Amino acid sequence: AFFWLVSLLLASLIWFVSVHLSDREDAKLQYGLLIFGAAVSVLLQEAFRFAYFKLLKKADEGLATISEDGRSPISLRQMAYVSGLSFGIISGVFSVINVLADSVGPGIVGIHGDSPYYFITSAFLTMALVLLHTFWGVIFFDACEKRRYWCLGLVVASHLLTSGLTFLNPWYEASLVPIFIITLCMGLWAFVTAGGSFRNVLKCLSC
Amino acid sequence: MITFMNNSDSEEEPCNERTSLMSAESPPVPSYQDGLQASEAGEAQAHRKRRTGSSHSPNNIADGDMSDSGVPVRESALENEEEELTLKYGAKHVIMLFVPVTLCMIVVVATIKSVRFYTEKNGQLIYTPFSEDTPSVGQRLLNSVLNTIIMISVIVVMTVFLVLLYKYRCYKFIHGWLILSSLMLLFLFTYIYLGEVLKTYNVAMDYPTLFLVIWNFGAVGMICIHWKGPLQLQQAYLIMISALMALVFIKYLPEWSAWVILGAISIYDLMAVLCPKGPLRMLVETAQERNEPIFPALIYSSAMMWTVGMAKPDTAARGPSQQTWDAGEDGRDNHRSPSHADSQMSETRSPVPTRPITSFEELEEEERGVKLGLGDFIFYSVLVGKAAATASGDWNTTLACFVAILIGLCLTLLLLAVFKKALPALPISITFGLVFYFSTDNLVRPFMDTLASHQLYI
């Protein structure tokens, strides 16, 4: 979570500087800068995820050398899951908590012509984002571990794609549906990466 | 308000002794490490260590090391075991400290966000006499710096006074002072807090009920903190009084002064604990030399609590150095002590049923808890509460400060495991918290707001 926050900080620093250096009045430019800021933020998040992976790897090696049986008490998969989950939680919380806080207060959604489904779609999007971060975490760590760089690239690309899809946002069919499809695919991929299989699921359900 | 300001003298005393003293970190952790590391056998607690050393396995190895028969391999194995135990217990203690710090912050933030009273400006403490309603920025900055200087010097004077009293064994005076200040916190501040909460939620309560509730709360609190009581109840009370104190600070410190004070006090903390002549360091060392626990009213202990009653006459044939520990241990319920020893010791050794050995193991457990000063709780909560109060109603800033403080606490505990002596808990956390507060408020907030208004997700 801390790493995600730092990445967010740097990204917003870049955006802030760029906004201040540019023309405030031009709405198109501002929007373009926003897209630029969002893209930079996504890239920074993935960079920090990588940095976190490196840190955890070092810690893992340290733990393994000093433990009694030579293995570390936490497997890399667990760390991947936890790191993905924490990225997801902090990113989800940051995206949605102000919306939640405002939703407690009085008001009518969409009175100025925006969509009246703002709150519910925000809720779904946040849920998708949290799940996505968790899945990305698992896939990312596994890809780094096995040095499959195409997996890494695919993760980063899908993050960029997801973020880009949210730019289509009042057009909810175009953004929500693909994002959920991506979430499902990522979920299946992460499940397979973590060693699950159809048989495991059957075993789990039958016992 | 006049009466309140008059009380502020004694009100500052608890805050001062709490803040000043309690920035010190856990003194027993060095002692437990001493138990494991034979190399520090030269210290004053050597005899105690050897006692403890005889009762469990790592120290048998330590004894071997002590007698200098060590083959280098054996020593490195010993070090690895020590490190492993350090890390294992270190991680557990991090979690054990996260929970109370989080709880305190939650209470403070919840109160700030819901009860209007604590965000209204209704005067200032006499310790921050300069007002911040000045027209120019420079004047405001100057006033806040002057306020900080006055506040810090008051804290320094109080700390030095307390350390002198402790050095010259004026225990009665210190106890009286502590009892008075906790009385005031438990009764007066709770009364005000309860009154404001009831006002906010428009709940009517008659005076007899109020009196009964506050009397019970305060009386049980006094007993729990200063005498004996269940560990969790004591921890809960300490968290509550820290939260109350933090709320008072948030209300009565003007804005810029609060931030400058936070910065200055972490620098002061760093110096007071690490400099050889720093008052807090002297306090911790004196307490360790005399094998006495530091006053329980000022420290949050994550493991067994220590009682104030020291040096009761010892019945069993144990050494004099054991007296303080045994007194504390005798004071608790008999059925509680073995179970505590069991739950916390089961990982490394099986609890021995006979009473004397259990008390040894319990001795270990007392040392094994990490202790965090109440002043640290208070200042963490002040930072998060101020973020919640003044960050234009933004929850992101509050959350960012919260994460920053917890990470700072983690790092501090890591350093504690590495350096094995009392460390100041404030500097790293407060630095992270301040950095994150200002950067989140000014940089991240417009970014996230713009993103959210277009419903964009990153």
Side-chain angles (χ1 to χ4, degrees):
Chain A
F2 184 64
F3 276 68
W4 188 88
L5 276 177
V6 175
S7 84
L8 182 64
L9 208 84
L10 288 174
S12 41
L13 178 65
I14 294 177
W15 178 80
F16 193 73
V17 167
S18 69
V19 162
H20 274 258
L21 289 178
S22 69
D23 182 12
R24 278 290 180 90
E25 300 305 313
D26 189 353
K28 276 237 172 268
L29 181 63
Q30 293 300 315
Y31 198 64
L33 277 180
L34 197 63
I35 299 181
F36 165 69
V40 165
S41 162
V42 166
L43 291 173
L44 275 175
Q45 279 178 45
E46 297 300 326
F48 271 83
R49 208 198 291 267
F50 186 68
Y52 194 56
F53 168 75
K54 282 270 174 236
L55 182 72
L56 281 184
K57 202 78 170 55
K58 276 230 166 81
D60 194 35
E61 284 163 17
L63 277 177
T65 49
I66 67 172
S67 82
E68 288 167 345
D69 48 3
R71 286 181 302 120
S72 79
I74 317 175
S75 80
L76 198 65
R77 294 229 178 97
Q78 283 174 317
M79 286 200 274
Y81 170 68
V82 168
S83 117
L85 188 64
S86 70
F87 263 52
I89 290 180
I90 190 84
S91 115
V93 163
F94 256 63
S95 312
V96 94
I97 192 126
N98 282 326
V99 176
L100 275 179
D102 287 333
S103 73
V104 174
I108 304 180
V109 188
I111 195 169
H112 287 284
D114 301 312
S115 158
Y117 301 117
Y118 186 79
F119 284 152
I120 189 101
T121 50
S122 293
F124 275 112
L125 271 178
T126 313
M127 177 185 88
L129 197 69
V130 171
L131 288 173
L132 272 173
H133 268 289
T134 316
F135 300 147
W136 282 328
V138 172
I139 301 173
F140 193 94
F141 275 45
D142 192 66
C144 282
E145 185 71 18
K146 300 200 178 118
R147 302 191 183 282
R148 287 193 204 146
Y149 293 118
W150 61 274
C151 283
L152 268 185
L154 209 56
V155 165
V156 176
S158 64
H159 194 170
L160 279 170
L161 181 65
T162 314
S163 183
L165 280 173
T166 58
F167 277 85
L168 296 174
N169 237 339
W171 188 18
Y172 287 131
E173 300 82 10
S175 66
L176 264 186
V177 174
I179 287 184
F180 268 89
I181 295 177
I182 294 181
T183 313
L184 275 173
C185 294
M186 288 289 145
L188 282 174
W189 189 6
F191 184 64
V192 167
T193 314
S197 70
F198 195 54
R199 268 203 295 160
N200 279 357
V201 174
L202 282 182
K203 247 201 296 186
C204 170
L205 288 174
S206 65
C207 69
Chain B
M1 270 308 111
I2 303 279
T3 51
F4 199 82
M5 299 264 280
N6 281 341
N7 281 336
S8 60
D9 237 331
S10 43
E11 144 208 304
E12 278 312 295
E13 280 165 12
C15 96
N16 284 332
E17 67 205 352
R18 280 183 167 84
T19 57
S20 348
L21 261 205
M22 286 4 280
S23 312
E25 268 276 357
S26 39
V29 176
S31 5
Y32 121 69
Q33 290 302 332
D34 292 349
L36 290 178
Q37 285 178 11
S39 50
E40 297 176 34
E43 279 183 7
Q45 303 148 16
H47 54 282
R48 179 156 55 106
K49 281 197 322 282
R50 272 188 220 114
R51 291 284 173 99
T52 63
S54 60
S55 67
H56 51 99
S57 39
N59 277 353
N60 287 333
I61 308 179
D63 282 337
D65 201 23
M66 250 194 271
S67 57
D68 268 340
S69 62
V71 179
V73 175
R74 217 163 154 224
E75 282 190 21
S76 66
L78 161 67
E79 275 174 29
N80 281 344
E81 262 202 57
E82 294 168 10
E83 275 181 46
E84 175 197 339
L85 272 169
T86 313
L87 280 179
K88 229 201 279 187
Y89 283 104
K92 200 164 74 131
H93 292 312
V94 168
I95 308 295
M96 284 207 282
L97 278 184
F98 267 16
V99 173
V101 172
T102 313
L103 276 177
C104 194
M105 289 197 229
I106 289 178
V107 169
V108 170
V109 171
T111 312
I112 294 267
K113 287 280 184 191
S114 54
V115 178
R116 259 322 96 125
F117 174 72
Y118 287 103
T119 39
E120 292 163 4
K121 298 254 4 131
N122 263 339
Q124 294 179 201
L125 297 171
I126 57 171
Y127 298 97
T128 52
F130 295 95
S131 153
E132 282 196 5
D133 283 333
T134 55
S136 75
V137 171
Q139 179 79 351
R140 189 171 186 185
L141 196 62
L142 181 70
N143 279 354
S144 55
V145 171
L146 287 173
N147 277 342
T148 311
I149 293 178
I150 296 180
M151 186 84 159
I152 300 282
S153 43
V154 168
I155 291 181
V156 170
V157 163
M158 290 291 190
T159 315
V160 170
F161 185 51
L162 187 68
V163 172
L164 282 176
L165 284 179
Y166 189 68
K167 251 186 137 52
Y168 294 115
R169 299 179 187 265
C170 309
Y171 292 138
K172 285 210 170 1
F173 191 85
I174 297 182
H175 287 321
W177 184 5
L178 283 178
I179 288 181
L180 199 68
S181 58
S182 45
L183 253 177
M184 204 188 67
L185 260 182
L186 279 172
F187 286 102
L188 181 67
F189 285 178
T190 313
Y191 170 67
I192 295 176
Y193 179 76
L194 204 58
E196 291 305 323
V197 169
L198 291 175
K199 261 191 241 173
T200 308
Y201 291 107
N202 210 12
V203 172
M205 188 183 265
D206 50 319
Y207 275 116
T209 315
L210 189 70
F211 175 70
L212 199 68
V213 167
I214 292 191
W215 171 253
N216 279 329
F217 181 80
V220 176
M222 288 302 289
I223 295 179
C224 246
I225 297 176
H226 290 281
W227 195 44
K228 301 165 190 145
L231 178 68
Q232 297 198 319
L233 198 60
Q234 192 206 26
Q235 291 174 338
Y237 268 103
L238 289 175
I239 294 177
M240 279 191 269
I241 58 179
S242 309
L244 283 174
M245 199 71 224
L247 284 169
V248 165
F249 270 134
I250 295 174
K251 182 173 169 63
Y252 287 108
L253 285 180
E255 273 203 41
W256 290 18
S257 305
W259 299 112
V260 183
I261 285 180
L262 274 175
I265 208 163
S266 52
I267 299 178
Y268 163 70
D269 194 23
L270 196 64
M271 292 192 326
V273 175
L274 293 180
C275 289
K277 278 296 167 193
L280 295 179
R281 183 172 175 152
M282 284 174 38
L283 182 73
V284 164
E285 283 174 357
T286 319
Q288 282 179 344
E289 275 170 34
R290 296 182 194 168
N291 284 338
E292 286 166 1
I294 301 190
F295 314 100
L298 299 173
I299 300 200
Y300 178 91
S301 159
S302 58
M304 307 279 251
M305 72 174 197
W306 287 354
T307 58
V308 176
M310 311 187 234
K312 267 182 5 193
D314 195 22
T315 51
R318 296 174 203 145
S321 68
Q322 292 289 331
Q323 269 198 4
T324 54
W325 308 96
D326 290 334
E329 193 249 331
D330 281 338
R332 286 180 221 104
D333 296 335
N334 289 344
H335 61 91
R336 226 184 101 250
S337 344
S339 62
H340 250 284
D342 286 2
S343 59
Q344 298 204 19
M345 301 290 283
S346 51
E347 301 164 329
T348 50
R349 53 195 79 92
S350 55
V352 182
T354 63
R355 191 122 194 293
I357 312 287
T358 314
S359 67
F360 274 139
E361 294 180 338
E362 230 176 344
L363 183 62
E364 309 311 308
E365 275 326 295
E366 286 192 30
E367 300 178 65
R368 228 165 264 278
V370 175
K371 293 176 175 35
L372 186 63
L374 283 192
D376 299 327
F377 276 87
I378 293 177
F379 282 108
Y380 293 160
S381 310
V382 165
L383 195 140
V384 176
K386 267 279 185 224
T390 62
S392 3
D394 195 27
W395 282 88
N396 285 344
T397 319
T398 315
L399 278 172
C401 288
F402 170 69
V403 173
I405 288 183
L406 284 186
I407 296 285
L409 190 63
C410 240
L411 279 175
T412 311
L413 286 172
L414 199 71
L415 284 180
L416 187 71
V418 168
F419 284 116
K420 302 184 178 52
K421 55 178 198 162
L423 284 181
L426 280 182
I428 302 181
S429 290
I430 300 269
T431 318
F432 277 2
L434 286 175
V435 163
F436 268 78
Y437 171 73
F438 285 112
S439 53
T440 313
D441 199 29
N442 297 322
L443 296 175
V444 177
R445 195 173 40 88
F447 187 43
M448 291 305 292
D449 282 344
T450 334
L451 282 180
S453 65
H454 294 278
Q455 214 176 11
L456 303 173
Y457 283 79
I458 49 166

